[in-house]
Amino acid sequence: MIHSLRMTQFRRFTSSDAWAAAAVKDFLSLARSFQGNTPMRICLAGGTSPIAVYRQLARAMASAVDEQGQVLEYILVPGDERIDVSNADQRNETMLRSVFQELLDDGQAQLLSWPDGPGSAYTMDAQLNELTAEDGTLFDLCYLGIGADGHTAGLFPGYHKPLSGRTVDTIAPSHPYKRVSLTLEAIRACKHTRFLVGSRRKEQALARFADRDPSCIASGAITRDTVVFVLS
């Protein structure tokens, strides 16, 4: 089922396979219209919810072509990261490297890392300088999530530190607490925005998101081309 609201399109699915397949089909459509001789810049949500989509997406990315029929290359950027963790498996980078390993090994994709420890946000900000296009965009495509509390990336409700600029140190309400994240300013510097919502516990957050309730941080990431893929 598809419906639109304030330039935001919601697509709902009752099976994980259909949910992932629709997101991949959407990606391939965007890829075919991609212009330029530079890699496609993609921001990726962390956590476990998007993994089913990412697995199918990685296979599609390997052979995706742009409008000139050229096989695409990619620069991948985690939207946020967990810092000072005792186990590397808790880091989003570990998950992303596992899912996109073949693309990375073949040199078709590059994954930018948030370093562990102090200064991580500053280091990522410096890397983002290389991604900024003449039109001011950082990303061609952003994949984001929505938490049950309305958070997206590493931006959580109740965190009141100014979120200007492109990267920020944040605190999560649960372990691991220390996070670094792209800001809404950076996330919105994107041509196409796609939310992957794979939990049935998030209907209240989705309602607040659809109403653009400012208490739902994810609503601040809406851009002119936003699609929400919901597994319900």
Side-chain angles (χ1 to χ4, degrees), residues 94-112:
T94 302
M95 178 274 288
L96 294 173
R97 286 195 177 279
S98 174
V99 174
F100 295 98
Q101 191 64 56
E102 289 190 18
L103 290 171
L104 297 170
D105 287 346
D106 291 343
Q108 192 176 351
Q110 173 188 0
L111 179 65
L112 301 189

PDB file of all heavy atoms in Angstrom, residues 94-112:
ATOM      1  N   THR A  94      31.317  -2.658  11.864  1.00  0.00           N
ATOM      2  CA  THR A  94      31.518  -4.100  11.777  1.00  0.00           C
ATOM      3  C   THR A  94      30.394  -4.751  10.985  1.00  0.00           C
ATOM      4  O   THR A  94      30.623  -5.594  10.104  1.00  0.00           O
ATOM      5  CB  THR A  94      31.598  -4.714  13.184  1.00  0.00           C
ATOM      6  OG1 THR A  94      32.676  -4.095  13.898  1.00  0.00           O
ATOM      7  CG2 THR A  94      31.836  -6.216  13.104  1.00  0.00           C
ATOM      8  N   MET A  95      29.163  -4.359  11.282  1.00  0.00           N
ATOM      9  CA  MET A  95      28.013  -4.893  10.544  1.00  0.00           C
ATOM     10  C   MET A  95      28.090  -4.516   9.071  1.00  0.00           C
ATOM     11  O   MET A  95      27.896  -5.365   8.176  1.00  0.00           O
ATOM     12  CB  MET A  95      26.710  -4.379  11.156  1.00  0.00           C
ATOM     13  CG  MET A  95      25.428  -4.818  10.445  1.00  0.00           C
ATOM     14  SD  MET A  95      24.915  -3.752   9.059  1.00  0.00           S
ATOM     15  CE  MET A  95      24.342  -2.293   9.946  1.00  0.00           C
ATOM     16  N   LEU A  96      28.385  -3.257   8.782  1.00  0.00           N
ATOM     17  CA  LEU A  96      28.411  -2.791   7.396  1.00  0.00           C
ATOM     18  C   LEU A  96      29.526  -3.456   6.607  1.00  0.00           C
ATOM     19  O   LEU A  96      29.350  -3.817   5.436  1.00  0.00           O
ATOM     20  CB  LEU A  96      28.556  -1.267   7.363  1.00  0.00           C
ATOM     21  CG  LEU A  96      27.358  -0.483   7.927  1.00  0.00           C
ATOM     22  CD1 LEU A  96      27.683   0.998   8.015  1.00  0.00           C
ATOM     23  CD2 LEU A  96      26.113  -0.713   7.086  1.00  0.00           C
ATOM     24  N   ARG A  97      30.683  -3.640   7.221  1.00  0.00           N
ATOM     25  CA  ARG A  97      31.779  -4.322   6.526  1.00  0.00           C
ATOM     26  C   ARG A  97      31.413  -5.770   6.211  1.00  0.00           C
ATOM     27  O   ARG A  97      31.763  -6.299   5.156  1.00  0.00           O
ATOM     28  CB  ARG A  97      33.066  -4.271   7.350  1.00  0.00           C
ATOM     29  CG  ARG A  97      33.733  -2.914   7.350  1.00  0.00           C
ATOM     30  CD  ARG A  97      35.158  -2.948   7.854  1.00  0.00           C
ATOM     31  NE  ARG A  97      35.754  -1.628   7.768  1.00  0.00           N
ATOM     32  CZ  ARG A  97      36.268  -1.103   6.654  1.00  0.00           C
ATOM     33  NH1 ARG A  97      36.275  -1.817   5.535  1.00  0.00           N
ATOM     34  NH2 ARG A  97      36.766   0.117   6.661  1.00  0.00           N
ATOM     35  N   SER A  98      30.695  -6.397   7.117  1.00  0.00           N
ATOM     36  CA  SER A  98      30.284  -7.776   6.889  1.00  0.00           C
ATOM     37  C   SER A  98      29.314  -7.878   5.715  1.00  0.00           C
ATOM     38  O   SER A  98      29.470  -8.723   4.829  1.00  0.00           O
ATOM     39  CB  SER A  98      29.643  -8.340   8.154  1.00  0.00           C
ATOM     40  OG  SER A  98      29.113  -9.630   7.929  1.00  0.00           O
ATOM     41  N   VAL A  99      28.320  -6.985   5.683  1.00  0.00           N
ATOM     42  CA  VAL A  99      27.288  -7.057   4.648  1.00  0.00           C
ATOM     43  C   VAL A  99      27.825  -6.644   3.284  1.00  0.00           C
ATOM     44  O   VAL A  99      27.503  -7.261   2.258  1.00  0.00           O
ATOM     45  CB  VAL A  99      26.083  -6.179   5.036  1.00  0.00           C
ATOM     46  CG1 VAL A  99      25.070  -6.138   3.898  1.00  0.00           C
ATOM     47  CG2 VAL A  99      25.419  -6.710   6.305  1.00  0.00           C
ATOM     48  N   PHE A 100      28.661  -5.615   3.251  1.00  0.00           N
ATOM     49  CA  PHE A 100      29.151  -5.079   1.976  1.00  0.00           C
ATOM     50  C   PHE A 100      30.579  -5.528   1.667  1.00  0.00           C
ATOM     51  O   PHE A 100      31.278  -4.893   0.874  1.00  0.00           O
ATOM     52  CB  PHE A 100      29.072  -3.545   1.995  1.00  0.00           C
ATOM     53  CG  PHE A 100      27.666  -3.016   2.074  1.00  0.00           C
ATOM     54  CD1 PHE A 100      27.125  -2.623   3.293  1.00  0.00           C
ATOM     55  CD2 PHE A 100      26.873  -2.927   0.942  1.00  0.00           C
ATOM     56  CE1 PHE A 100      25.831  -2.138   3.377  1.00  0.00           C
ATOM     57  CE2 PHE A 100      25.576  -2.452   1.007  1.00  0.00           C
ATOM     58  CZ  PHE A 100      25.054  -2.061   2.233  1.00  0.00           C
ATOM     59  N   GLN A 101      31.009  -6.647   2.287  1.00  0.00           N
ATOM     60  CA  GLN A 101      32.399  -7.086   2.188  1.00  0.00           C
ATOM     61  C   GLN A 101      32.871  -7.288   0.751  1.00  0.00           C
ATOM     62  O   GLN A 101      33.978  -6.882   0.375  1.00  0.00           O
ATOM     63  CB  GLN A 101      32.598  -8.379   2.974  1.00  0.00           C
ATOM     64  CG  GLN A 101      34.069  -8.767   3.153  1.00  0.00           C
ATOM     65  CD  GLN A 101      34.838  -7.754   3.973  1.00  0.00           C
ATOM     66  OE1 GLN A 101      34.450  -7.467   5.102  1.00  0.00           O
ATOM     67  NE2 GLN A 101      35.905  -7.192   3.428  1.00  0.00           N
ATOM     68  N   GLU A 102      32.058  -7.920  -0.088  1.00  0.00           N
ATOM     69  CA  GLU A 102      32.491  -8.192  -1.462  1.00  0.00           C
ATOM     70  C   GLU A 102      32.720  -6.905  -2.240  1.00  0.00           C
ATOM     71  O   GLU A 102      33.701  -6.789  -2.990  1.00  0.00           O
ATOM     72  CB  GLU A 102      31.466  -9.081  -2.173  1.00  0.00           C
ATOM     73  CG  GLU A 102      31.439 -10.511  -1.663  1.00  0.00           C
ATOM     74  CD  GLU A 102      30.591 -11.412  -2.543  1.00  0.00           C
ATOM     75  OE1 GLU A 102      30.309 -11.039  -3.691  1.00  0.00           O
ATOM     76  OE2 GLU A 102      30.205 -12.505  -2.070  1.00  0.00           O
ATOM     77  N   LEU A 103      31.835  -5.931  -2.081  1.00  0.00           N
ATOM     78  CA  LEU A 103      32.024  -4.656  -2.759  1.00  0.00           C
ATOM     79  C   LEU A 103      33.293  -3.966  -2.283  1.00  0.00           C
ATOM     80  O   LEU A 103      34.030  -3.365  -3.078  1.00  0.00           O
ATOM     81  CB  LEU A 103      30.825  -3.737  -2.497  1.00  0.00           C
ATOM     82  CG  LEU A 103      29.495  -4.099  -3.159  1.00  0.00           C
ATOM     83  CD1 LEU A 103      28.382  -3.215  -2.625  1.00  0.00           C
ATOM     84  CD2 LEU A 103      29.592  -3.954  -4.671  1.00  0.00           C
ATOM     85  N   LEU A 104      33.569  -4.063  -0.985  1.00  0.00           N
ATOM     86  CA  LEU A 104      34.766  -3.440  -0.427  1.00  0.00           C
ATOM     87  C   LEU A 104      36.025  -4.163  -0.890  1.00  0.00           C
ATOM     88  O   LEU A 104      37.022  -3.531  -1.265  1.00  0.00           O
ATOM     89  CB  LEU A 104      34.683  -3.434   1.105  1.00  0.00           C
ATOM     90  CG  LEU A 104      33.536  -2.614   1.704  1.00  0.00           C
ATOM     91  CD1 LEU A 104      33.403  -2.893   3.198  1.00  0.00           C
ATOM     92  CD2 LEU A 104      33.755  -1.128   1.464  1.00  0.00           C
ATOM     93  N   ASP A 105      35.985  -5.481  -0.889  1.00  0.00           N
ATOM     94  CA  ASP A 105      37.150  -6.260  -1.315  1.00  0.00           C
ATOM     95  C   ASP A 105      37.477  -6.041  -2.778  1.00  0.00           C
ATOM     96  O   ASP A 105      38.650  -6.026  -3.175  1.00  0.00           O
ATOM     97  CB  ASP A 105      36.910  -7.754  -1.066  1.00  0.00           C
ATOM     98  CG  ASP A 105      36.965  -8.113   0.411  1.00  0.00           C
ATOM     99  OD1 ASP A 105      37.443  -7.284   1.209  1.00  0.00           O
ATOM    100  OD2 ASP A 105      36.522  -9.228   0.761  1.00  0.00           O
ATOM    101  N   ASP A 106      36.436  -5.868  -3.600  1.00  0.00           N
ATOM    102  CA  ASP A 106      36.642  -5.670  -5.038  1.00  0.00           C
ATOM    103  C   ASP A 106      37.036  -4.242  -5.386  1.00  0.00           C
ATOM    104  O   ASP A 106      37.324  -3.948  -6.555  1.00  0.00           O
ATOM    105  CB  ASP A 106      35.364  -6.038  -5.810  1.00  0.00           C
ATOM    106  CG  ASP A 106      35.077  -7.526  -5.765  1.00  0.00           C
ATOM    107  OD1 ASP A 106      35.996  -8.297  -5.441  1.00  0.00           O
ATOM    108  OD2 ASP A 106      33.922  -7.915  -6.053  1.00  0.00           O
ATOM    109  N   GLY A 107      37.019  -3.349  -4.406  1.00  0.00           N
ATOM    110  CA  GLY A 107      37.356  -1.958  -4.671  1.00  0.00           C
ATOM    111  C   GLY A 107      36.236  -1.161  -5.306  1.00  0.00           C
ATOM    112  O   GLY A 107      36.439  -0.013  -5.705  1.00  0.00           O
ATOM    113  N   GLN A 108      35.044  -1.759  -5.395  1.00  0.00           N
ATOM    114  CA  GLN A 108      33.901  -1.054  -5.972  1.00  0.00           C
ATOM    115  C   GLN A 108      33.293  -0.072  -4.976  1.00  0.00           C
ATOM    116  O   GLN A 108      32.612   0.880  -5.363  1.00  0.00           O
ATOM    117  CB  GLN A 108      32.836  -2.056  -6.432  1.00  0.00           C
ATOM    118  CG  GLN A 108      31.737  -1.456  -7.294  1.00  0.00           C
ATOM    119  CD  GLN A 108      30.760  -2.500  -7.808  1.00  0.00           C
ATOM    120  OE1 GLN A 108      30.977  -3.712  -7.657  1.00  0.00           O
ATOM    121  NE2 GLN A 108      29.680  -2.059  -8.423  1.00  0.00           N
ATOM    122  N   ALA A 109      33.557  -0.303  -3.691  1.00  0.00           N
ATOM    123  CA  ALA A 109      33.041   0.573  -2.649  1.00  0.00           C
ATOM    124  C   ALA A 109      34.141   0.896  -1.648  1.00  0.00           C
ATOM    125  O   ALA A 109      35.066   0.105  -1.436  1.00  0.00           O
ATOM    126  CB  ALA A 109      31.862  -0.072  -1.929  1.00  0.00           C
ATOM    127  N   GLN A 110      34.003   2.068  -1.048  1.00  0.00           N
ATOM    128  CA  GLN A 110      34.880   2.507   0.031  1.00  0.00           C
ATOM    129  C   GLN A 110      34.007   2.849   1.220  1.00  0.00           C
ATOM    130  O   GLN A 110      32.967   3.494   1.063  1.00  0.00           O
ATOM    131  CB  GLN A 110      35.684   3.741  -0.399  1.00  0.00           C
ATOM    132  CG  GLN A 110      36.508   4.371   0.708  1.00  0.00           C
ATOM    133  CD  GLN A 110      37.124   5.705   0.290  1.00  0.00           C
ATOM    134  OE1 GLN A 110      36.934   6.155  -0.836  1.00  0.00           O
ATOM    135  NE2 GLN A 110      37.838   6.345   1.195  1.00  0.00           N
ATOM    136  N   LEU A 111      34.401   2.411   2.411  1.00  0.00           N
ATOM    137  CA  LEU A 111      33.637   2.696   3.625  1.00  0.00           C
ATOM    138  C   LEU A 111      34.419   3.675   4.491  1.00  0.00           C
ATOM    139  O   LEU A 111      35.537   3.382   4.921  1.00  0.00           O
ATOM    140  CB  LEU A 111      33.364   1.409   4.404  1.00  0.00           C
ATOM    141  CG  LEU A 111      32.578   1.555   5.715  1.00  0.00           C
ATOM    142  CD1 LEU A 111      31.158   2.040   5.451  1.00  0.00           C
ATOM    143  CD2 LEU A 111      32.563   0.235   6.474  1.00  0.00           C
ATOM    144  N   LEU A 112      33.852   4.853   4.726  1.00  0.00           N
ATOM    145  CA  LEU A 112      34.476   5.818   5.615  1.00  0.00           C
ATOM    146  C   LEU A 112      34.189   5.424   7.058  1.00  0.00           C
ATOM    147  O   LEU A 112      33.064   5.069   7.394  1.00  0.00           O
ATOM    148  CB  LEU A 112      33.961   7.231   5.348  1.00  0.00           C
ATOM    149  CG  LEU A 112      34.175   7.792   3.938  1.00  0.00           C
ATOM    150  CD1 LEU A 112      33.817   9.281   3.911  1.00  0.00           C
ATOM    151  CD2 LEU A 112      35.599   7.585   3.461  1.00  0.00           C
TER     152      LEU A 112
END
